[in-house]
Amino acid sequence: MNWTLVVTGHFSKKAKKFLKQHPEQSKLYLKILLLLEANPYHPSLRLHPLQGKHKGLHSVSMNMSYRITLEFLIEGNQLILIDIGDHDAIYRG
């Protein structure tokens, strides 16, 4: 089953800023997006649900420092991309 990535305006701005600050992560970023489309449950993504004020959202890991948070709309096979950044920035915000 293929998933559709839905990019919010907020995510688009954050991703642009993130990639400008971390150009070395651009290939990994694209790889993560392709994996999400193919299989968000792929073990290398380390998909997990968030708790607290982020309850209802999920997070996948780009690497040990950077995360992408997303909201699942399973009925429509859609993944709505919400945020990208380092672990502390995402979980504080």
Side-chain angles (χ1 to χ4, degrees):
M1 165 189 341
N2 280 334
W3 294 80
T4 301
L5 298 180
V6 178
V7 179
T8 62
H10 173 78
F11 181 85
S12 185
K13 285 182 189 178
K14 294 282 294 228
K16 185 176 179 179
K17 182 178 178 182
F18 174 83
L19 292 171
K20 186 175 182 179
Q21 292 174 340
H22 307 282
E24 74 283 0
Q25 299 295 327
S26 61
K27 285 184 182 178
L28 180 58
Y29 170 76
L30 292 173
K31 179 183 174 185
I32 296 299
L33 294 182
L34 290 173
L35 268 174
L36 281 170
E37 282 183 321
N39 177 12
Y41 300 102
H42 190 282
S44 68
L45 293 173
R46 297 183 294 281
L47 173 72
H48 60 280
L50 300 177
Q51 302 296 319
K53 67 181 177 178
H54 297 288
K55 188 172 183 165
L57 297 177
H58 289 74
S59 178
V60 295
S61 299
M62 290 180 60
N63 57 31
M64 293 308 290
S65 297
Y66 302 112
R67 307 283 193 263
I68 297 174
T69 59
L70 50 108
E71 180 179 352
F72 271 105
L73 291 180
I74 294 175
E75 296 158 6
N77 294 335
Q78 293 184 332
L79 302 175
I80 299 176
L81 300 176
I82 304 293
D83 206 351
I84 184 172
D86 68 50
H87 183 272
D88 292 341
I90 286 179
Y91 299 126
R92 271 194 322 253

